[in-house]
Coordinates of all heavy atoms in Angstrom, one line a residue:
H212 N 26.2 -22.9 3.3 CA 24.7 -23.1 3.5 C 24.5 -24.6 3.7 O 24.7 -25.4 2.8 CB 23.9 -22.6 2.3 CG 22.5 -22.9 2.4 ND1 21.5 -21.8 2.4 CD2 21.7 -24.0 2.4 CE1 20.3 -22.3 2.5 NE2 20.4 -23.6 2.4
L213 N 24.3 -25.0 5.0 CA 24.1 -26.4 5.3 C 22.7 -26.7 5.9 O 22.4 -26.4 7.0 CB 25.2 -26.9 6.4 CG 26.6 -26.7 6.0 CD1 27.5 -27.1 7.2 CD2 27.0 -27.5 4.8
G214 N 21.8 -27.1 5.0 CA 20.5 -27.5 5.4 C 20.2 -28.9 4.9 O 21.1 -29.7 4.9
N215 N 19.0 -29.1 4.5 CA 18.7 -30.3 3.8 C 19.5 -30.4 2.5 O 20.1 -31.4 2.1 CB 17.2 -30.4 3.5 CG 16.7 -31.7 4.0 OD1 17.4 -32.7 4.0 ND2 15.4 -31.7 4.4
G216 N 19.5 -29.3 1.8 CA 20.4 -29.1 0.6 C 21.6 -28.3 1.2 O 21.5 -27.5 2.1
N285 N 18.4 -38.8 7.6 CA 18.9 -37.6 6.9 C 18.7 -36.3 7.8 O 19.1 -35.2 7.4 CB 18.2 -37.4 5.6 CG 16.8 -37.2 5.7 OD1 16.1 -38.0 6.3 ND2 16.3 -36.1 5.2
D286 N 18.1 -36.4 9.0 CA 18.1 -35.3 9.9 C 19.3 -35.3 10.8 O 19.5 -36.3 11.5 CB 16.7 -35.3 10.6 CG 16.5 -34.0 11.4 OD1 17.4 -33.6 12.2 OD2 15.5 -33.3 11.1
M287 N 20.0 -34.2 10.8 CA 21.3 -34.2 11.5 C 21.1 -34.4 13.0 O 21.9 -35.0 13.7 CB 22.0 -32.9 11.3 CG 23.4 -32.8 11.7 SD 24.4 -34.3 11.2 CE 25.2 -33.8 9.7
R288 N 19.9 -33.9 13.6 CA 19.6 -34.1 15.0 C 19.5 -35.6 15.3 O 20.1 -36.1 16.3 CB 18.3 -33.4 15.4 CG 18.5 -31.9 15.4 CD 17.1 -31.2 15.3 NE 16.5 -31.4 14.0 CZ 15.5 -30.7 13.5 NH1 15.0 -29.7 14.3 NH2 15.0 -30.9 12.3
H291 N 23.1 -37.3 15.1 CA 23.9 -37.1 16.3 C 23.4 -38.0 17.5 O 24.2 -38.5 18.2 CB 23.9 -35.6 16.8 CG 24.7 -34.7 16.0 ND1 26.0 -35.0 15.6 CD2 24.4 -33.5 15.4 CE1 26.4 -34.0 14.8 NE2 25.5 -33.1 14.7
A333 N 21.7 -21.8 7.5 CA 20.7 -22.8 7.3 C 20.7 -23.8 8.5 O 21.5 -23.7 9.4 CB 20.9 -23.5 5.9
G334 N 19.7 -24.7 8.4 CA 19.4 -25.6 9.6 C 20.5 -26.2 10.3 O 20.7 -26.0 11.5
I335 N 21.5 -26.8 9.6 CA 22.6 -27.4 10.3 C 23.7 -26.3 10.6 O 24.2 -26.2 11.7 CB 23.3 -28.5 9.4 CG1 22.3 -29.6 9.1 CG2 24.5 -29.0 10.0 CD1 22.7 -30.7 8.1
N338 N 22.7 -24.3 13.6 CA 22.4 -24.9 14.9 C 23.3 -26.0 15.4 O 23.2 -26.5 16.4 CB 21.0 -25.6 14.8 CG 19.9 -24.6 14.6 OD1 19.7 -23.7 15.4 ND2 19.2 -24.6 13.4
D339 N 24.3 -26.3 14.6 CA 25.1 -27.5 14.9 C 26.6 -27.2 15.1 O 27.4 -27.2 14.2 CB 24.9 -28.5 13.7 CG 25.4 -29.9 14.1 OD1 26.4 -30.0 14.9 OD2 24.9 -30.9 13.6
R365 N 24.1 -21.4 22.1 CA 22.9 -21.5 21.2 C 22.3 -20.1 21.2 O 22.0 -19.5 22.2 CB 21.9 -22.5 21.7 CG 22.4 -23.9 21.8 CD 21.4 -24.9 21.6 NE 22.1 -26.2 21.3 CZ 22.3 -26.7 20.2 NH1 22.0 -26.0 19.1 NH2 23.0 -27.9 20.0
Ligands
LIG1 P1 16.9 -26.4 6.3 O1 16.9 -27.1 4.9 O2 17.7 -25.2 6.3 O3 15.5 -26.2 6.8 O4 17.6 -27.4 7.3 C1 17.0 -28.6 7.7 C2 18.0 -29.5 8.4 O5 18.6 -28.7 9.4 C3 17.3 -30.6 9.1 O6 17.2 -31.7 8.2 C4 18.3 -30.9 10.2 O7 19.2 -31.9 9.7 C5 19.0 -29.6 10.4 N1 18.8 -29.1 11.8 C6 17.8 -28.3 12.2 N2 17.9 -28.0 13.5 C7 19.0 -28.6 13.9 C8 19.7 -28.7 15.2 N3 19.3 -28.1 16.3 N4 20.9 -29.4 15.2 C9 21.4 -30.0 14.1 N5 20.8 -29.9 12.9 C10 19.6 -29.3 12.8

Side-chain angles (χ1 to χ4, degrees):
H212 178 114
L213 302 176
N215 233 330
N285 65 303
D286 189 302
M287 194 48 95
R288 289 161 290 197
H291 285 312
I335 299 174
N338 296 300
D339 194 328
R365 299 211 168 264

